[in-house]
């Protein structure tokens, strides 16, 4: 019972608490901010406390039967807890960062409400064992992201928010048709009741549309770079903690834990992802907007995650999961750094920046640490994830596939390095810039350090990932 | 959870399975962090910490060298990715070599970097480099090897960035070229492990080069020669020579990278895989070596800056090692390894002499300085010893190792031998030019530098130079000493010590050296300046235009790669924009068109709606008729 309380607290605190925030905001802004952080931290702590039972293979679950064969079910198994801990950890840091960043803008009540709701939806989604629940939380996240991308309310910004909303919701509707198709075959939406079933390829295609649109994979990706118009903590949230990870998480939940897939997908998905990885990496090398570059980098890195999850090898799945964690930490850090840079230089164009390391030393170092992690350079966390994923491409796919991804990794090194060098090194363009507020700077420092520690102490996250992989029952 | 924290505690303290091997990696790393934590103003405390770390590493390395055995294993992640270290004859010798050079260049650095900004960061990166190099050499697991190997990129980038923050292009170039080589190594490690069925090196032994093995071998080799600075991964080195602090050049491109690259190359070719003399792979490796020798030395010949000239030689000399190892003959491998250790000694020494010159005169540009011999006699002597060694003058160490490589090349193919001899000729010629220009001839100093101010370098800088120069002589005269360590690495019963066996080859080498001297005298007579002694080669009819293109960097692999990648990137960008156009323009227009079409139909006119109603009723009636 205690475990069930934790599980419900983990989901409901941010979900319900979000709606209280505007009320508190009317009373006192500082209190609202602290409460928002508290709600998200509660989600983090509760999910961390669920680790024990998940690792002991006694997952906590909650289940209510509803009429018409419907049900609501939450299950805190290894995969769910891993994802919940990862995203709530990064989300907590992002909320903390927001204290400094968002201070000067209007609509803060809505901001904190949407961010908290967003994280609540994420928590609900990862623990859900019911396709309809998954769909609902999926759409709540789409609504939050629509409001948050359009935070600045200018016409072009709103247009891009609409675009993001329509692409992801369009994908989600197709996915819903896929879910209904599964219902038609099995007579239930409850995942636990259809463990190990094989699903039809056309249903798989429909669901894949939903996943790829949310996880911004070619050709459903262009909304993600456009979403860079949002405030930086929001982009960070979208890229690192919640939104795009939803797609890959649902991929893992449905196609690794639950359903059997046709073997053809073990070739098709990695290659779709490969094209996505290369095209977006190439685009990142041409772009000049700091946030768009990092956004394209997310698209490219998501392809590596999908690769790991889809090659059908143990090392690939473990690598893919580690990749989710390491990418969340590092990419969150990169966007938050970009936010500091944007705040102090008032531009996003990297051609107008240079030598910022002199004025923004902490940001520069944190950016570099996170960038190294994304590049997959040891001793940073990204290294192991990248190596495992590449190894799985070779073992589960072919030398060509692995070679393609190695090329993608080379491009990653080049575009991130180009970004760092242009922004932080070279001739100084701005004089007397101020470092961000202490909340902002300490947030990026924490993420940078975590990216480093994640690599050296890789044994800690691996305990969980290897547990998940071994319990998939596929090997 | 409990187990997690036990593991963590074990990891930090070392736990039960820990021994000296662990401290070889952890100790320098921890002290590296300490050097930056110590307050910035206390140069002495930082330097003591720095030197203590290098010395401690040397002591540990000596202990390992005496023991020559030991292993340890800590669980890291699953899939056999364990933090496993093991030491054997080969790796213990390599670790000792790393430690010795780390101490020598360390002492030099302390003196050189005094009163320089960011020396603390340099210490930190230096020690981290040492820690990771140790880790790479001692690794008993392919992924651990890759971990430390790739990790060197971070410190490399750091050292280049502190060199000159205003001009980061070189740091980027170095990181991109190294990144390509290291990512190839990653692919190679994956393929090799797939071939062997394990990541643990114990299981990776004498694999055949076929199937995935070809991919594994080629990619790992690319990683190894890339680190060693062979073509085509070389072009950052001469650029780095201009921006990075000089001790960086002495420790990384001249010493550590050669040692590591050649160590891994030997491991790959004779331990992990089975390279057979005369096989395709053997020829590929030899060709890389031969091309590197000739092209790099040609570039070295025309350089006008000491550091750039030396760095081209650092590339060229690695060609000899690769060529020797590529022959897959015992004499070649031993020659390659011997040449590696000799090279590190004389090249380190040469860079250090260049550093002395830079410290005293403020430049290493040969057009601005000459005749320093009288002002800096000890530096000059050290330079001469090292220059004789690199040129292969008997009885210095370079002569003996080069002869072994010549021997192996002679047996493997005339074209490789000719390349090697041509390289020797040009090496000698360029060092005659360098020595003549910098240390002899009339005294000439840059503007603003007075002859009274140019003194001999301080003792802390002379000591490492002197030791290295002495080493060049000792390793030549008593070559049994190093060879007795190197020969057991590839097996029992080899003895190549003493005077070279083939008199013919020695005679050819001597003739080549004499030709080089003749060439120098000819060139000097022609122009009257030491610096211009090779101008008749530089400005020879066809060579002139080739050199011209090379000077303009038309042949720089980095530039070529970047142009190709930029092209690729623009294509990708085009695809991306095209997809975006579908969303932003096509779909919007399509839906807009559709709705305005619909709007035309629904214009509010009752007449029109009536018509629509009748048409609809008629249609339904028709359907009913048809079906009922």
């Amino acid at each position: 019972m205690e475990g069930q309380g934790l599980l419900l607290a983990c989901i409901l605190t941010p979900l319900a608490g979000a709606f209280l925030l505007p009320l508190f905001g009317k009373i006192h802004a500082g209190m609202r901010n602290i409460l928002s952080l508290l709600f998200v931290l509660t989600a983090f702590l509760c999910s961390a406390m669920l680790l024990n039972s998940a690792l002991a293979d006694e997952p906590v679950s909650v289940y209510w039967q509803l009429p018409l064969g419907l049900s609501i079910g939450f299950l805190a198994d290894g995969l769910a807890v891993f994802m919940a801990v990862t995203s709530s950890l990064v989300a907590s840091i992002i909320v903390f960062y927001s204290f400094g960043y968002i201070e000067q803008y209007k609509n803060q009540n809505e901001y904190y409400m949407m961010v908290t709701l967003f994280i609540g939806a994420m928590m609900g989604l990862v623990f859900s064992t019911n396709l309809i629940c998954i769909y609902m939380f999926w759409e709540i996240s789409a609504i939050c992201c629509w409001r948050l991308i359009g935070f600045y309310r200018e016409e072009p910004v709103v247009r891009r928010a609409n675009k993001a909303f329509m692409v992801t919701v369009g994908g989600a509707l197709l996915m819903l048709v896929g879910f209904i198709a599964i219902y038609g075959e099995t007579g239930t939406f409850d995942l636990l009741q259809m463990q190990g079933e094989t699903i039809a390829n056309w249903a798989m295609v429909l669901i894949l549309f939903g996943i790829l649109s949310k996880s911004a994979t070619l050709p459903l990706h262009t909304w993600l770079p456009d979403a860079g118009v949002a405030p930086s903590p929001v982009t960070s949230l979208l890229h690192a903690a919640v939104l795009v990870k939803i797609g890959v998480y649902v991929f893992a939940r449905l196609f690794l834990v639950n359903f059997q897939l046709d073997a053809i997908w073990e070739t098709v998905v990695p290659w779709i992802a490969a094209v996505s990885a290369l095209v977006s990496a190439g685009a990142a090398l041409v772009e000049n907007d700091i946030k768009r570059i990092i956004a394209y980098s997310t698209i490219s890195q998501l392809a590596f995650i999908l690769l790991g999850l889809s090659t059908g090898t143990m090392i690939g799945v473990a690598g893919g999961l580690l990749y989710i964690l390491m990418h969340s930490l590092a990419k969150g850090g990169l966007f938050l750094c970009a936010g500091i840079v944007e705040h102090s230089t008032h531009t996003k164009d990297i051609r107008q920046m240079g030598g910022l390391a002199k004025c923004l030393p902490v940001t520069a170092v944190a950016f570099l640490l996170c960038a190294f992690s994304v590049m997959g350079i040891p001793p940073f966390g990204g290294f192991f994830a990248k190596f495992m994923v590449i190894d799985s491409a070779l073992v589960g796919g072919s030398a060509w596939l692995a070679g393609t991804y190695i090329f993608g990794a080379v491009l990653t090194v080049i575009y991130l390095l180009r970004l760092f060098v242009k922004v932080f090194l070279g001739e100084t363009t701005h004089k007397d810039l101020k470092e961000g507020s202490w909340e902002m700077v300490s947030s990026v420092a924490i993420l940078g350090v975590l990216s480093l520690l994640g690599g050296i102490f890789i044994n800690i996250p691996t305990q969980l990932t290897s547990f998940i992989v071994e319990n998939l029952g596929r090997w | 959870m409990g187990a997690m924290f036990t593991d963590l505690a074990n990891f930090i303290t070392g736990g039960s399975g820990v021994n000296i091997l662990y401290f070889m990696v952890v100790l320098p790393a921890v002290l590296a962090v300490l050097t930056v934590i110590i307050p910035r103003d206390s140069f002495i405390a930082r330097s003591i910490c720095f030197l203590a770390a290098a010395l401690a590493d040397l002591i540990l390395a000596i202990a390992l060298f005496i023991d020559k055995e030991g292993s340890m294993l800590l669980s890291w992640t699953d899939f056999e990715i364990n933090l496993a270290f093991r030491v054997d004859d080969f790796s213990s010798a390599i670790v000792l070599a790393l430690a010795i050079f780390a101490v020598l260049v360390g002492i030099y650095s302390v003196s050189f970097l005094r009163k320089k900004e960011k020396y603390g960061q340099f210490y930190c990166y230096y020690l981290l480099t040492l820690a990771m190099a140790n880790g790479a050499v001692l690794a008993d697991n392919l992924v651990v090897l890759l971990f430390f190997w790739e990790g060197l990129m971070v410190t490399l980038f750091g050292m280049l960035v502190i060199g000159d923050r205003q001009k980061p292009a070189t740091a980027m170039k170095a990181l991109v070229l190294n990144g390509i080589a290291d990512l190839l190594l990653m692919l190679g490690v994956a393929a090799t492990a797939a071939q062997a069925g394990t990541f643990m090196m114990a299981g990776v032994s004498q694999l055949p080069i076929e199937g995935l093995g070809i991919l594994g071998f080629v990619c790992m080799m690319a990683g190894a020669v890339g680190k060693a600075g062979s073509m085509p991964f070389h072009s950052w080195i001469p650029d780095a020579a201009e921006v990075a602090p000089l001790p960086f050049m002495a420790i990384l491109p001249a010493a550590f990278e050669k040692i590591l690259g050649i160590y891994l190359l030997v491991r790959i070719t004779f331990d992990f895989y089975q390279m057979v003399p005369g096989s395709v792979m053997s020829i590929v490796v030899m060709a890389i070596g031969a091309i590197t020798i000739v092209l790099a030395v040609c570039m070295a010949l025309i350089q006008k800056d000491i550091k750039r000239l030396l760095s081209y030689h650092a590339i060229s000399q690695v060609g000899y090692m690769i060529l020797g190892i590529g022959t897959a003959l015992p004499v070649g491998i031993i020659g390659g390894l011997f040449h590696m250790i000799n090279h590190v000694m004389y090249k380190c020494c040469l860079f250090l002499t260049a550093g002395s010159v830079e410290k005293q005169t403020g430049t290493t540009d040969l057009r601005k300085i000459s005749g320093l011999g009288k002002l800096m006699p000890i530096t000059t002597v050290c330079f001469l010893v090292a220059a004789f060694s690199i040129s292969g003058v008997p009885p210095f160490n370079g002569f003996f190792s080069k002869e072994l490589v010549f021997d192996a090349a002679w047996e493997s193919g005339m074209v490789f031998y000719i390349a090697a001899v041509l390289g020797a000729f040009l090496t000698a010629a360029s060092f005659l030019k360098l020595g003549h220009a910098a240390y002899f001839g009339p005294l000439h100093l840059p503007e603003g530098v007075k002859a009274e101010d140019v003194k001999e370098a301080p003792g802390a800088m002379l000591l490492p130079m002197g030791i290295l120069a002495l080493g060049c002589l000792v390793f030549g005269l008593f070559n049994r000493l190093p060879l007795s360590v190197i020969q057991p690495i590839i097996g029992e019963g080899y003895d190549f010590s003493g005077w070279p066996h083939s008199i013919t080859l020695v005679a050819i080498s001597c003739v080549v050296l004499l030709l080089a001297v003749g060439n120098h005298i000819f060139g000097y007579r022609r122009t009257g300046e030491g610096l211009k002694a090779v101008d008749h080669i530089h400005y020879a009819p066809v060579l002139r235009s080739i050199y011209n293109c090379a000077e303009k960097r038309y042949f720089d692999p980095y530039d070529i790669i970047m142009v190709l990648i930029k092209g690729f990137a623009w294509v990708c960008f085009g695809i991306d924009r095209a997809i975006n156009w579908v969303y932003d323009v096509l779909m919007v227009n399509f839906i807009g068109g559709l709705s305005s079409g619909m709007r035309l139909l629904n214009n509010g006119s009752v007449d029109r709606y009536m018509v629509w109603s009748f048409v609809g009723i008629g249609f339904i009636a028709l359907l009913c008729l048809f079906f009922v």
Side-chain angles (χ1 to χ4, degrees), chain B residues 178-390:
Chain B
N178 272 292
I180 292 171
D182 287 358
L183 284 166
L184 285 175
L185 183 70
M186 183 187 268
L187 186 58
V189 163
T192 304
Q195 177 89 337
T198 174
F199 286 123
M200 295 301 289
M201 283 193 194
V204 185
S205 164
Q206 304 291 316
L207 304 173
I209 305 180
E210 58 189 32
L212 268 185
I214 297 178
L215 181 73
F217 179 82
V218 171
C219 288
M220 284 194 86
M221 186 191 72
V225 302
K227 180 64 76 189
S230 143
M231 288 190 176
F233 301 103
H234 67 287
S235 65
W236 64 274
I237 301 175
D239 292 357
E242 288 176 2
V243 297
L246 192 125
F248 163 84
M249 291 307 290
I251 196 66
L252 266 176
F256 275 26
E257 297 197 332
K258 298 290 174 283
I259 297 177
L260 289 173
I262 296 305
Y263 165 77
L264 185 61
L265 187 63
V266 172
R267 272 260 186 252
I268 296 163
T269 44
F270 304 104
D271 193 358
F272 300 164
Y273 288 94
Q274 227 179 337
M275 194 169 77
V276 188
S279 62
V280 180
M281 283 304 153
S282 161
I283 291 171
V284 169
V285 179
M286 283 194 288
I288 294 174
I291 292 170
T292 303
I293 295 176
V294 176
L295 293 185
V297 79
C298 285
M299 286 309 293
L301 192 65
I302 60 161
Q303 297 306 316
K304 302 271 189 284
D305 181 280
I306 303 180
K307 290 195 284 185
R308 269 187 85 87
L309 187 147
L310 290 178
S311 53
Y312 272 111
H313 277 293
I315 300 160
S316 161
Q317 294 297 311
V318 84
Y320 283 103
M321 308 165 207
I322 294 171
L323 174 60
I325 292 162
T327 61
L329 300 168
V331 57
I333 305 159
I334 291 172
L337 282 170
F338 189 28
H339 197 63
M340 179 262 282
I341 204 71
N342 291 339
H343 167 83
V344 176
M345 288 163 68
Y346 57 64
K347 186 52 56 68
C348 230
C349 183
L350 286 167
F351 269 116
L352 299 188
T353 57
S356 304
V357 170
E358 189 187 358
K359 182 112 181 163
Q360 297 302 320
T361 65
T363 180
T364 49
D365 191 334
L366 286 172
R367 282 163 295 200
K368 294 184 187 157
I369 45 174
S370 74
L372 296 175
K374 279 182 197 141
L375 300 176
M376 309 174 72
I378 305 177
T379 305
T380 310
V381 170
C382 292
F383 169 82
L384 284 179
V385 171
F388 284 144
S389 299
I390 194 173

Side-chain angles (χ1 to χ4, degrees), chain B residues 297-298 300-303 309 313 317 320 366 383 387 390-393 402 421-437 512-524 529-538 547:
Chain B
V297 79
C298 285
L301 192 65
I302 60 161
Q303 297 306 316
L309 187 147
H313 277 293
Q317 294 297 311
Y320 283 103
L366 286 172
F383 169 82
I390 194 173
S391 310
V393 176
K402 246 183 209 172
V421 169
L422 181 62
F425 170 75
L426 294 172
T427 305
S430 65
F431 274 96
L432 284 166
K433 164 190 137 180
L434 169 60
H436 193 159
V512 165
L513 283 179
L514 289 177
L515 281 176
V517 173
N519 173 65
H520 184 75
I521 293 170
F522 170 74
Y524 177 62
E529 259 186 79
L531 182 60
K532 294 184 176 162
V534 291
D535 278 5
H536 58 283
I537 301 177
H538 187 169
Y547 270 129

Side-chain angles (χ1 to χ4, degrees), chain B residues 620-628:
Chain B
I620 292 168
L622 265 179
L623 275 182
C624 290
L625 272 180
F626 208 75
F627 285 109
V628 178

Side-chain angles (χ1 to χ4, degrees), chain B residues 399-597:
Chain B
F399 166 75
F400 293 97
S401 51
K402 246 183 209 172
E403 285 306 315
L404 292 178
V405 174
F406 285 158
D407 202 342
W410 176 271
E411 279 180 48
S412 303
M414 192 43 80
V415 60
F416 298 118
Y417 179 73
I418 292 173
V421 169
L422 181 62
F425 170 75
L426 294 172
T427 305
S430 65
F431 274 96
L432 284 166
K433 164 190 137 180
L434 169 60
H436 193 159
Y439 296 99
F440 300 98
L443 181 66
H444 181 54
L445 290 170
E447 274 177 52
V449 180
K450 290 182 202 135
E452 306 89 81
D453 296 342
V454 179
K455 295 183 291 255
E456 188 51 271
M461 287 166 79
L462 290 179
L463 180 74
M465 278 193 271
I467 292 174
L468 287 169
L470 193 66
C472 290
L473 197 57
V474 171
F475 273 30
L477 290 176
F478 308 101
N479 56 29
R480 191 172 301 277
L481 201 71
L483 283 172
S484 66
V485 176
I486 295 170
Q487 282 160 0
I489 291 167
I490 66 156
E492 297 289 311
Y494 297 110
D495 187 13
F496 297 106
S497 56
W499 193 254
H501 300 259
S502 168
I503 299 301
T504 328
L505 294 182
V506 172
I508 296 175
S509 304
C510 291
V511 170
V512 165
L513 283 179
L514 289 177
L515 281 176
V517 173
N519 173 65
H520 184 75
I521 293 170
F522 170 74
Y524 177 62
R525 288 257 168 89
R526 213 172 131 258
T527 59
E529 259 186 79
L531 182 60
K532 294 184 176 162
V534 291
D535 278 5
H536 58 283
I537 301 177
H538 187 169
Y539 298 109
V542 184
L543 288 177
R544 176 206 303 249
S545 45
I546 296 177
Y547 270 129
N548 215 351
C549 293
E551 289 278 271
K552 286 183 188 153
R553 295 173 189 253
Y554 291 162
F555 306 134
D556 189 333
Y558 173 74
D559 291 345
I560 296 168
I561 289 171
M562 286 312 266
V563 166
L564 292 177
I565 283 186
K566 285 246 170 73
F568 176 81
W570 275 102
V571 172
C572 289
F573 188 64
I575 294 172
D576 179 76
R577 289 298 89 195
I579 294 171
N580 196 46
W581 178 82
V582 171
Y583 285 98
D584 281 5
V585 179
L586 191 64
M587 275 197 192
V588 172
N589 287 349
F590 176 72
I591 293 183
L594 206 65
S595 67
S596 51

Side-chain angles (χ1 to χ4, degrees), chain B residues 57-77:
Chain B
D57 181 71
L58 179 62
I59 292 166
L60 292 178
I62 291 171
L64 272 188
F65 186 72
I66 294 166
D67 255 5
K68 281 195 194 331
E69 57 186 70
S71 64
M72 63 163 284
L73 194 146
L74 289 178
S75 106
W76 213 359
T77 83

